[in-house]
Amino acid sequence: MSKVRIVTDSDASIPADVLDKYSIEVIPQVLRIGRDRYEDTEDFNADRLFQLIRENQSGGRILLPEVEAPELSRLMEVYQKLGQDAEEIVAIHMSSTLSPMWSQSRKAADMMMGRYRIRVMDSQTTSMGLGMLAELAGQAAEDGANLYEVARIVNGAIPHIYVTFFAETLYYLERSARLGAAQSVLGTMLGIKAMVTMEDGQLIPLEKVQTREDVAEKLYDYTAEFAQNERIGLVQHRYEQTQEHLLERLGEGLPDISANVWRYPPSLAAHLGPNVMGVIVYEGLG
């Protein structure tokens, strides 16, 4: 057992074998729709989220979900359990502009200060980006890195993760409580298809896209910009054909890099809505 245990949340995309290999603890995010709350587990996917949204429509009004964190007691229980067989804990969470998980996790860690050494980190990213940071942390911990060394590796990797999505609606993003810089351009882009990127952990609309046919080419061009792509992840919802086209283009243009398809986490779907195609790139450090 490593002396440092890694914690992340259900927004992360991590293969089961990686979770097992590095004993990474995953805490479910919570999705609230009206008065009902649902834990983001393997049984609760984006399709289920959108089904619940449709079922809760009233008078044509869409009741959009909100991303919440678990109760403090739940997080403290996780830390206490891990602290029984680990000297230190590093928790890496979904971008703090999209989820309160990081803030709640810090509160729990502060309340346990003096009993456990816990470092809570804002990944400033989502999905595979978050999962990759947790995996890097797990690898470092297994190699004997301490809390500070693990945190340094994670902080060094964050600026090299790039995220862009194609969304058919910006309604979900407009209604989000965490728009950040997106507010400045949202007024001219509502009701149209748009590319959305992440900057400093915020989702920001970039440009208009006319058709689905443009999506694969634009996402390929975005991915090919990076000189040293180490890992590429695809996330999609109801864009199967576009995904296949993009995989073909990546195979032709970047044959030495394998692209993996990851789950569209409900905690991200709550901000981007249905009908989404995206790419997450980790640019190697050379």
Side-chain angles (χ1 to χ4, degrees), residues 92-93 121-125 129 132-133 136 151-162 200-201 281-282 285:
I92 312 166
H93 292 298
M121 306 186 70
D122 181 354
S123 72
Q124 301 182 41
T125 189
M132 193 212 65
L133 292 175
L136 285 174
R152 177 180 56 80
I153 289 169
V154 172
N155 279 325
I158 287 174
H160 297 274
I161 296 175
Y162 302 89
D200 299 324
V281 178
Y282 174 54
L285 306 181

Side-chain angles (χ1 to χ4, degrees), residues 23 55 103 128 138 171 198 278:
S23 299
E55 292 174 356
S103 176
M128 176 202 135
Y171 179 71
M198 291 196 78

Side-chain angles (χ1 to χ4, degrees), residues 5-264:
R5 287 293 301 274
I6 308 303
V7 175
T8 189
D9 59 67
S10 55
D11 178 70
S13 296
I14 309 176
D17 61 331
V18 173
L19 289 175
D20 292 340
K21 180 178 181 180
Y22 300 121
S23 299
I24 298 172
E25 187 79 14
V26 179
I27 303 174
Q29 301 249 13
V30 177
L31 281 298
R32 180 167 65 85
I33 304 175
R35 296 180 178 179
D36 298 322
R37 288 172 171 80
Y38 305 88
E39 283 197 346
D40 179 9
T41 63
E42 287 298 323
D43 297 327
F44 187 84
N45 57 23
D47 283 330
R48 177 61 175 153
L49 174 70
F50 297 128
Q51 177 187 353
L52 289 167
I53 291 171
R54 291 191 298 270
E55 292 174 356
N56 281 274
Q57 287 189 54
S58 176
R61 178 176 174 269
I62 299 176
L63 188 62
L64 293 184
E66 294 187 19
V67 181
E68 296 186 347
E71 297 292 333
L72 273 174
S73 58
R74 175 77 177 276
L75 292 165
M76 292 173 69
E77 286 175 5
V78 171
Y79 288 149
Q80 186 173 16
K81 180 187 72 173
L82 297 182
Q84 293 174 358
D85 59 12
E87 297 176 14
E88 300 169 320
I89 299 168
V90 175
I92 312 166
H93 292 298
M94 183 183 190
S95 170
S96 61
T97 68
L98 303 179
S99 167
M101 181 67 87
W102 171 80
S103 176
Q104 188 82 321
S105 190
R106 283 197 63 181
K107 290 178 184 177
D110 288 344
M111 293 178 70
M112 306 187 79
M113 189 179 300
R115 286 181 284 170
Y116 306 102
R117 298 180 65 186
I118 305 171
R119 176 72 176 269
V120 181
M121 306 186 70
D122 181 354
S123 72
Q124 301 182 41
T125 189
T126 182
S127 186
M128 176 202 135
L130 173 57
M132 193 212 65
L133 292 175
E135 183 177 347
L136 285 174
Q139 290 173 344
E142 187 175 75
D143 291 340
N146 62 29
L147 180 147
Y148 301 105
E149 292 166 338
V150 171
R152 177 180 56 80
I153 289 169
V154 172
N155 279 325
I158 287 174
H160 297 274
I161 296 175
Y162 302 89
V163 177
T164 190
F165 294 100
F166 167 82
E168 287 199 356
T169 177
L170 290 180
Y171 179 71
Y172 284 71
L173 187 58
E174 181 217 2
R175 297 297 301 274
S176 168
R178 302 174 179 85
L179 281 176
Q183 292 172 309
S184 63
V185 295
L186 204 54
T188 62
M189 300 190 74
L190 288 176
I192 66 160
K193 302 175 179 65
M195 302 300 294
V196 177
T197 191
M198 291 196 78
E199 291 185 9
D200 299 324
Q202 298 177 334
L203 289 171
I204 302 174
L206 276 182
E207 61 176 303
K208 302 175 182 179
V209 180
Q210 299 299 324
T211 67
R212 284 194 173 203
E213 287 71 24
D214 295 333
V215 174
E217 289 303 317
K218 285 186 175 291
L219 290 177
Y220 172 78
D221 291 342
Y222 174 88
T223 305
E225 287 179 6
F226 302 101
Q228 298 180 40
N229 291 321
E230 184 168 312
R231 295 179 67 178
I232 300 172
L234 307 185
V235 175
Q236 66 88 16
H237 181 257
R238 298 177 185 170
Y239 261 72
E240 289 83 2
Q241 290 185 342
T242 304
Q243 174 183 284
E244 291 305 312
H245 182 196
L246 178 55
L247 285 169
E248 290 177 6
R249 290 287 288 116
L250 291 170
E252 295 168 358
L254 302 170
D256 297 329
I257 305 168
S258 61
N260 298 305
V261 179
W262 300 103
R263 172 178 181 256
Y264 183 34

